[in-house]
Amino acid sequence: MHFVEAKGILSSKNGMNIYRGCTHGCIYCDSRSLCYNMPHAFEDIEVKINAPQLLEKALRSKRKKCMIGTGSMCDPYLPIEVELKLTKRCLELIEQYQFGAAVLTKSDLILRDTDLLDSINQQQKAVVQMTMTTFDEKLCSIIEPGVCTTYRRFEVLMEMKKRNIPTVVWLSPFLPYINDTEENLRGLLGYCREAGVKGIICFGIGLTLRDGNREYFYSALDRHFNGLSDRYRREFGLSYEIVSPNHDRLMRILDDFCTKYGIMHNRECFDYLSEIPEKYQQLTLF
């Protein structure tokens, strides 16, 4: 890893990435794409060492309360967070200044900050988002080798449920001929139902491939799924959107599930993640 002094921390939509790069090793990771112009090796994590100071300055300058998001590009709970505690410090500032938080991760390290998230949720709003791709634990360890397995993530969701902290699950990606099966989808949906998730985000049964992440993905297929990269090249070529042949059938199952159990789906989730309860929108004096 290496440290940088960033010039800013919040995007125009109040999202932040404290780290840049990742060590989870997910074989499909879009953040590896060359279009993001990362000037260093992906596993050489760039640490925005002044992130807490920048965040405090930004929060103090805001005229209205809002949700602060993190995790959209790089996981805020990488293993180095155990030592650096930058995500924890940023959550402490969000709590101190009474803003909301929406955190997206694949890591059970988030359990370290459950009390903080609980406090933010009680005074404002906190939402924990968890990505889940495969119900099969062995398969999970192949396609997401550097992070806790799906069942452990389910345990995280259950802990949030005990605390009444709302959760949203990202079901993605579904890799054609690997985890794009009805059995896999129904297994993941069963976890979602038991954990009482507020919403599910899934824009399709498939994945996206661009220069940079495509090469990494195909090399992983060659290591773990003999002959499958050749099939991808034949069927999908250099397409950006790789759509599973099971897309329509599985999306109907997902849509029916969300309707049956009253679970928010896709666009509703994004609205929910960005909304602060109206009574909390005005700033208080410190």
Side-chain angles (χ1 to χ4, degrees):
M1 66 179 173
H2 63 281
F3 300 97
V4 298
E5 292 275 342
K7 295 181 179 179
I9 193 64
L10 288 185
S11 70
S12 60
K13 295 185 178 179
N14 298 308
M16 64 178 176
N17 286 293
I18 300 165
Y19 304 109
R20 193 175 187 197
C22 190
T23 53
H24 288 342
C26 304
I27 68 173
Y28 50 77
C29 182
D30 177 72
S31 294
R32 291 181 180 273
S33 301
L34 297 181
C35 64
Y36 297 119
N37 299 313
M38 191 171 294
H40 53 85
F42 193 67
E43 286 78 14
D44 177 17
I45 308 302
E46 179 181 285
V47 179
K48 298 175 184 177
I49 194 64
N50 60 334
Q53 292 82 3
L54 291 172
L55 178 61
E56 182 167 24
K57 181 179 178 181
L59 296 182
R60 288 174 65 90
S61 69
K62 287 190 174 296
R63 301 181 64 183
K64 286 187 176 182
K65 301 293 189 184
C66 65
M67 296 290 288
I68 306 298
T70 188
S72 62
M73 282 293 293
C74 296
D75 200 309
Y77 286 102
L78 298 175
I80 58 174
E81 168 64 17
V82 174
E83 173 188 353
L84 298 178
K85 298 182 175 64
L86 292 177
T87 297
K88 181 181 181 69
R89 178 61 183 136
C90 287
L91 288 176
E92 288 171 342
L93 289 167
I94 291 169
E95 177 196 32
Q96 177 184 343
Y97 287 92
Q98 297 181 14
F99 281 73
V103 182
L104 173 59
T105 185
K106 291 176 181 167
S107 174
D108 58 352
L109 180 55
I110 194 173
L111 291 174
R112 180 200 65 188
D113 296 336
T114 305
D115 288 344
L116 260 176
L117 292 163
D118 194 358
S119 178
I120 293 169
N121 192 50
Q122 288 185 41
Q123 69 182 17
Q124 193 67 275
K125 178 180 172 183
V127 185
V128 170
Q129 304 165 80
M130 188 67 66
T131 300
M132 302 173 83
T133 60
T134 176
F135 188 69
D136 184 315
E137 296 288 279
K138 183 178 180 180
L139 180 59
C140 182
S141 68
I142 293 172
I143 66 177
E144 298 166 338
V147 69
C148 64
T149 63
T150 302
Y151 184 77
R152 180 57 175 157
R153 294 176 222 173
F154 165 65
E155 291 182 323
V156 172
L157 294 173
M158 292 298 289
E159 181 60 29
M160 299 303 159
K161 180 182 180 182
K162 292 178 185 176
R163 298 286 194 112
N164 293 316
I165 298 172
T167 54
V168 170
V169 165
W170 292 68
L171 293 182
S172 66
F174 289 93
L175 311 176
Y177 314 117
I178 296 177
N179 67 331
D180 61 334
T181 66
E182 181 174 342
E183 178 184 16
N184 181 54
L185 176 61
R186 290 193 182 279
L188 295 174
L189 292 177
Y191 279 160
C192 290
R193 181 187 177 191
E194 188 171 349
V197 303
K198 187 82 173 178
I200 294 174
I201 296 173
C202 177
F203 288 114
I205 308 300
L207 76 157
T208 58
L209 291 177
R210 293 188 269 206
D211 290 346
N213 80 311
R214 181 185 293 108
E215 292 78 7
Y216 188 86
F217 178 64
Y218 282 172
S219 67
L221 294 186
D222 289 337
R223 291 194 304 274
H224 301 292
F225 305 96
N226 185 40
L228 191 53
S229 68
D230 291 334
R231 184 173 185 178
Y232 269 71
R233 290 184 178 93
R234 289 195 307 270
E235 295 189 18
F236 306 117
L238 296 177
S239 297
Y240 168 62
E241 293 188 65
I242 309 300
V243 180
S244 165
N246 299 323
H247 174 276
D248 292 348
R249 180 171 61 87
L250 296 185
M251 285 303 292
R252 283 195 297 270
I253 292 172
L254 174 58
D255 292 341
D256 290 346
F257 175 87
C258 290
T259 299
K260 180 177 180 180
Y261 293 106
I263 297 173
M264 292 188 299
H265 188 201
N266 287 353
R267 178 50 55 191
E268 295 176 281
C269 295
F270 288 102
D271 292 340
Y272 176 74
L273 289 168
S274 64
E275 292 172 351
I276 281 284
E278 186 174 349
K279 65 180 180 178
Y280 294 127
Q281 287 184 2
Q282 295 302 316
L283 286 176
T284 56
L285 297 176
F286 295 96

